[in-house]
Amino acid sequence: MNIPGDLWQALAESFRRTDLPAISFTELLLAVVLATALSIPSRSWKYFGLLATAVHELGHAVAALTSGQRLSGIRLRLDHSGTTTSYSRSRLAAAWSCFWGYPVPAIVGAAFVMCGFSGWGPASIAGSAVALVASLLFIRNLAGFLITAVAIVGGLTMILVVPDAFVGHVAVILGLALLVGAVRDLIKLANVHVRRRERLSTSDAYLLYRATAVPSAIWITLFAALVGGSWFVAWQPISTVLLRGA
């Protein structure tokens, strides 16, 4: 078996639209249960939350690169914290990259859900794996490398051995889990500002306040608006299945 050749062929073929997955009412409920099981219990979040952190930091990194900043590196830690270091002479550019952390897991989650329902599930998983491979160029610590490598191996294995129709289901589950996780992280952020203010230095909203003088509450509201908007987008195909099964 030529694994590298088979993987390359499977990866190339995954960037096409497949038949629409027939997600039933029961399967959707199961997907919601699985997504919740990944994102709510502390034991499962201990591991799945690492992926959410990686997506969060990649949001910062992509925003930095698209605004012309020099990206120094990304560090991911096993306690769900992360740091993306970039350099810019523009305060506006620095604020731009700082903003795109908390909303990105929800945006990516909504994209996964839409792709899963529309026949682009394999493409979404393959594209994510390629993006994670590219991010290895900027990972600067061992934990970050291990977290990213495990996610890459998981995505590539799915592309290689899992039927396309089922990959669509997985994309929906993964997307819903990221959406739930985005809400969880947003609540955690708000809690830092309300009850754990000794940790304000770790808050993106506080860093944005320091950079722009715009109150942290405004930034948290904007994060919440984008997370809510992502849920609204993801809800469109979900509601269709729910109405059909009602």
Side-chain angles (χ1 to χ4, degrees):
M1 181 177 180
N2 181 12
I3 294 180
D6 292 341
L7 178 58
W8 179 256
Q9 181 178 356
L11 186 63
E13 291 179 352
S14 66
F15 286 99
R16 58 180 175 81
R17 190 174 189 180
T18 64
D19 294 334
L20 299 183
I23 300 178
S24 67
F25 180 79
T26 301
E27 289 172 332
L28 179 59
L29 291 182
L30 180 60
V32 171
V33 169
L34 290 174
T36 302
L38 285 172
S39 298
I40 297 299
S42 297
R43 288 187 177 181
S44 56
W45 181 251
K46 177 181 179 181
Y47 301 103
F48 183 75
L50 297 174
L51 177 62
T53 298
V55 176
H56 176 115
E57 296 304 327
L58 284 175
H60 288 312
V62 171
L65 291 173
T66 57
S67 58
Q69 299 180 62
R70 181 168 65 86
L71 182 60
S72 175
I74 302 170
R75 293 179 179 272
L76 305 174
R77 305 178 187 88
L78 298 179
D79 63 356
H80 292 192
S81 65
T83 306
T84 299
T85 305
S86 59
Y87 298 96
S88 173
R89 296 181 179 179
S90 168
R91 296 182 66 180
L92 181 60
W96 172 260
S97 60
C98 186
F99 178 82
W100 292 105
Y102 283 98
V104 170
I107 293 171
V108 171
F112 271 124
V113 171
M114 295 297 292
C115 288
F117 275 100
S118 62
W120 293 100
S124 67
I125 299 296
S128 299
V130 171
L132 288 170
V133 169
S135 75
L136 288 174
L137 295 172
F138 302 102
I139 300 296
R140 296 293 182 263
N141 66 328
L142 178 60
F145 180 85
L146 291 175
I147 292 167
T148 307
V150 168
I152 292 169
V153 171
L156 294 180
T157 300
M158 192 177 307
I159 291 299
L160 185 61
V161 303
V162 177
D164 288 346
F166 188 72
V167 174
H169 289 71
V170 173
V172 172
I173 295 169
L174 182 59
L176 287 172
L178 284 172
L179 283 161
V180 174
V183 174
R184 179 180 180 137
D185 278 342
L186 201 57
I187 293 172
K188 181 180 177 181
L189 173 66
N191 189 54
V192 167
H193 284 262
V194 174
R195 297 182 179 181
R196 306 186 67 180
R197 295 183 63 83
E198 72 278 3
R199 299 188 60 188
L200 277 179
S201 61
T202 65
S203 164
D204 289 352
Y206 179 73
L207 295 176
L208 284 164
Y209 159 68
R210 292 288 302 270
T212 65
V214 176
S216 298
I218 300 297
W219 295 112
I220 294 175
T221 300
L222 291 173
F223 293 158
L226 285 171
V227 171
S230 298
W231 268 102
F232 178 78
V233 170
W235 178 252
Q236 306 311 304
I238 292 172
S239 63
T240 301
V241 176
L242 292 177
L243 290 173
R244 189 169 63 234

